[in-house]
């Protein structure tokens, strides 16, 4: 399977095909309140660097992220509908945001192992009782 994919990629390049190279930044991007996130992930969808989800322009800032994504999916040239990754990324992003509450734990690195083992040993029934 991998060899076939490599062969297809090599043929694509030999035929003069193009590709987009992406890399990882030293500092990860936040998925919360980041109007530049989608602009950086999909520059071909936002060619002028405008219209990112969670944008700061007055007309965009009034939209919820979910509503903004649904409007992008109805865009006249269908670029958001036909893109292979945008619908998946947008839906996954909504799932992650719905499943988390932006909480985190800050721990001194010397104490991290101890804190992690204590958290892993918490009784699940106790957590459920606290949640209810």
């Amino acid at each position: 399977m991998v060899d076939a994919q490599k062969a297809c990629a090599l043929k694509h390049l030999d035929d003069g095909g193009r590709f987009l190279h992406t890399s990882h930044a030293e500092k990860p991007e936040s998925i919360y309140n980041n109007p530049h996130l989608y602009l950086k992930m999909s520059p071909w969808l936002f060619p002028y660097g405008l219209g990112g989800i969670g944008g700061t322009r007055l007309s965009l800032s009034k939209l919820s992220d979910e509503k903004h994504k649904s409007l992008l999916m109805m865009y006249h040239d269908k670029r958001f509908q036909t893109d292979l990754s945008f619908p998946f990324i947008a839906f996954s992003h909504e799932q992650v945001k719905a499943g988390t509450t932006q909480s985190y734990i800050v721990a001194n690195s010397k104490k991290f192992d101890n804190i992690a083992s204590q958290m892993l040993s918490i009784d699940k029934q106790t957590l459920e009782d606290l949640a209810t």
Side-chain angles (χ1 to χ4, degrees), residues 7-116:
C8 285
L10 188 57
K11 181 177 180 336
H12 175 74
L13 292 175
D14 286 343
D15 292 343
R18 297 180 180 183
F19 67 95
L20 174 68
H21 172 76
T22 59
S23 61
H24 297 278
E26 288 183 26
K27 182 182 175 209
E29 291 285 335
S30 172
I31 65 168
Y32 297 101
N33 304 321
N34 186 351
H36 301 288
L37 181 65
Y38 282 84
L39 302 177
K40 290 180 179 180
M41 284 193 305
S42 305
W44 56 92
L45 296 176
F46 304 95
Y48 299 104
L50 299 173
I53 296 166
T56 56
R57 292 179 62 193
L58 185 59
S59 61
L60 296 178
S61 62
K62 293 180 182 180
L63 290 175
S64 69
D65 288 357
E66 189 174 340
K67 180 66 175 173
H68 192 166
K69 289 172 188 176
S70 70
L71 291 173
L72 289 174
M73 291 297 286
M74 295 188 301
Y75 202 68
H76 69 93
D77 68 1
K78 308 223 183 294
R79 66 177 162 215
F80 293 94
Q81 290 178 24
T82 58
D83 186 77
L84 295 176
S85 60
F86 180 79
F88 175 75
I89 290 170
F91 179 69
S92 297
H93 189 202
E94 289 302 315
Q95 283 186 313
V96 168
K97 288 193 320 182
T100 61
T101 57
Q102 299 183 25
S103 61
Y104 56 91
I105 296 175
V106 177
N108 185 317
S109 60
K110 294 176 186 175
K111 297 180 182 179
F112 183 80
D113 290 334
N114 184 28
I115 292 170

